[in-house]
Amino acid sequence: EVQLQASGGGLAQAGGSLRLSCAASGFSFDDHAIAWFHQAPGKGREGVACISNLDGFTTYSNPVKGRFTITSGRTKNTADLQMNSLKPEDTAVYYCNLVQTARVYWGQGTQVTVSS
């Protein structure tokens, strides 16, 4: 059973930083990617960043480019999201997911709140 754990959320001031971590387990395939999405109150989930397990290729949404960095974690099948220069509009529940071909697995989110 695929399991995903997101952690590291909390309260930060504008201009501050947070580091989120995602741990995936319960699968054996190497062809996958780990992505971070967020969902602000009253809005749908939006992609934030993604990293491929095969080649390390990363993608980012425009609002976070230059501020957020997704990296492979120190442990296998983990990924971190370093969030710098946080803005109040970054406030949302952040979810990590596992993407493999046509399948997408979701875990529980972690709340990020940025105060002005």
Side-chain angles (χ1 to χ4, degrees):
E1 179 180 352
V2 175
Q3 294 183 346
L4 294 161
Q5 288 187 334
S7 61
L11 177 64
Q13 295 182 337
S17 299
L18 287 172
R19 188 175 184 88
L20 307 184
S21 297
C22 176
S25 63
F27 66 97
S28 60
F29 46 83
D30 292 326
D31 184 11
H32 69 271
I34 294 178
W36 285 96
F37 284 69
H38 69 191
Q39 184 171 18
K43 297 184 178 180
R45 291 185 183 183
E46 299 178 335
V48 176
C50 181
I51 184 168
S52 170
N53 183 64
L54 291 180
D55 57 12
F57 182 76
T58 58
T59 57
Y60 300 91
S61 64
N62 287 329
V64 309
K65 287 181 179 178
R67 299 190 298 119
F68 293 5
T69 303
I70 187 170
T71 57
S72 297
R74 300 178 68 88
T75 304
K76 185 178 180 180
N77 296 329
T78 62
D80 297 332
L81 183 68
Q82 179 66 44
M83 305 186 295
N84 297 327
S85 301
L86 285 165
K87 302 176 180 180
E89 51 263 42
D90 295 321
T91 296
V93 177
Y94 284 72
Y95 300 86
C96 67
N97 68 359
L98 178 72
V99 182
Q100 194 275 327
T101 313
R103 296 189 176 187
V104 180
Y105 302 90
W106 294 90
Q108 297 297 313
T110 184
Q111 177 70 50
V112 171
T113 302
V114 183
S115 64
S116 60

